[in-house]
Amino acid sequence: MLRLLVQQDLRQRFTGNVLGAAWAVLAPLLQLLVFALVFVHIFKARVPGLDERGYIAFLALGMWPWFAFSEAVARGTSGLTDNAGLLDKVAVSTWQVVAARVIAAFIVHGLGFLLVTLVLAAWQGQVSLGWWPLTLPAWAGMFVLALALAQIAAICNVFARDTQQILTYLLTAWMFLTPILYDSSLLPAAFEPWMRANPMAGLIAAIRDPLLWRNADTVLPWMSLLVAALALLLAWGMHRRFRPHVREFL
């Protein structure tokens, strides 16, 4: 059932588009180009130790995992309300309905990330592909965290439909508070406690540092992985607690 739900979500996402699944890469790429234009050529943003091209690689390796995470959470949040008719007629698990959207988002952006790293590796060797396997623990932790938050937000969205709108602003704020567009070394010392408490900061660094800096010190962000595991336990507890009432409110 989960496999069928994932296939259905992927078909619905690209059905009717002229370019089809190519938008999975084109849309984030266009957004990345906008950020690169604004931050590189207008604000003249730089990262210590990297030139202009290096900063674009720095930006891409941080933005693409964020695209996967944020879209998984956002689409998962509306998973139950969007599939109210299906849940009313078919005995399918509400957990699987949300999980299918999270899996689909990571499939799409995971393939896009792989393509981008190949391009960056060919572009004057900005990325070292030999370090790619070391990013897998961080990708797994990011998936678990996205699944947990999507499940929690989806349940909240059933009872309070403005959850999705609030979440959009929270995700935007979260992105700018995470060292994606800038390096954490540029932040004032007062922000250091937030960087330690922000699980996405550790996960993004664990994906970007091996590929860009060839640094294996951050590949296992234990605190971020622990937060993701605890969030998943909370999500499962909420799922079991509210499962009898979700269908009634839908």
Side-chain angles (χ1 to χ4, degrees):
M1 178 61 70
L2 182 60
R3 177 175 58 85
L4 292 175
L5 290 172
V6 172
Q7 292 174 350
Q8 180 188 26
D9 185 73
L10 291 173
R11 282 196 301 267
Q12 290 177 347
R13 181 180 304 206
F14 303 115
T15 299
N17 293 336
V18 176
L19 297 179
W23 278 113
V25 175
L26 289 177
L29 183 59
L30 291 173
Q31 187 171 353
L32 178 64
L33 290 175
V34 171
F35 277 109
L37 175 64
V38 171
F39 285 92
V40 174
H41 297 288
I42 298 179
F43 292 141
K44 305 295 183 181
R46 293 293 185 272
V47 170
L50 296 176
D51 57 9
E52 180 178 308
R53 291 187 176 185
Y55 178 76
I56 294 176
F58 176 90
L59 194 62
L61 296 177
M63 288 298 295
W64 232 278
W66 178 263
F67 288 147
F69 172 78
S70 60
E71 182 174 316
V73 175
R75 285 182 56 80
T77 299
S78 62
L80 298 181
T81 53
D82 290 346
N83 290 280
L86 175 67
L87 292 170
D88 185 52
K89 299 174 182 177
V90 182
V92 59
S93 170
T94 56
W95 182 275
Q96 290 182 334
V97 171
V98 177
R101 291 198 164 190
V102 176
I103 293 172
F106 270 83
I107 289 175
V108 170
H109 291 292
L111 293 175
F113 181 77
L114 179 59
L115 177 60
V116 167
T117 54
L118 291 174
V119 172
L120 292 174
W123 188 33
Q124 296 188 354
Q126 293 289 344
V127 169
S128 177
L129 293 179
W131 293 73
W132 211 98
L134 295 180
T135 67
L136 296 179
W139 274 105
M142 191 176 298
F143 172 81
V144 170
L145 181 61
L147 176 61
L149 295 181
Q151 296 287 353
I152 294 172
I155 294 174
C156 294
N157 195 46
V158 171
F159 302 100
R161 298 302 172 93
D162 51 356
T163 299
Q164 190 172 4
Q165 285 72 27
I166 296 173
L167 184 67
T168 300
Y169 293 103
L170 291 178
L171 287 173
T172 301
W174 196 351
M175 183 190 74
F176 285 106
L177 291 173
T178 302
I180 297 173
L181 305 174
Y182 52 85
D183 189 72
S184 58
S185 63
L186 301 176
L187 292 174
F191 283 86
E192 186 176 348
W194 163 251
M195 289 297 106
R196 290 198 300 265
N198 181 4
M200 286 302 295
L203 294 171
I204 293 292
I207 293 174
R208 183 163 53 194
D209 289 359
L211 295 173
L212 187 61
W213 305 106
R214 295 165 177 80
N215 180 11
D217 294 339
T218 61
V219 295
L220 288 175
W222 294 110
M223 185 59 65
S224 299
L225 296 176
L226 177 61
V227 170
L230 293 176
L232 188 63
L233 289 176
L234 175 61
W236 181 251
M238 288 185 62
H239 166 71
R240 297 195 61 179
R241 172 65 179 83
F242 292 99
R243 181 173 49 188
H245 309 291
V246 166
R247 296 176 189 270
E248 298 176 4
F249 277 81
L250 286 174

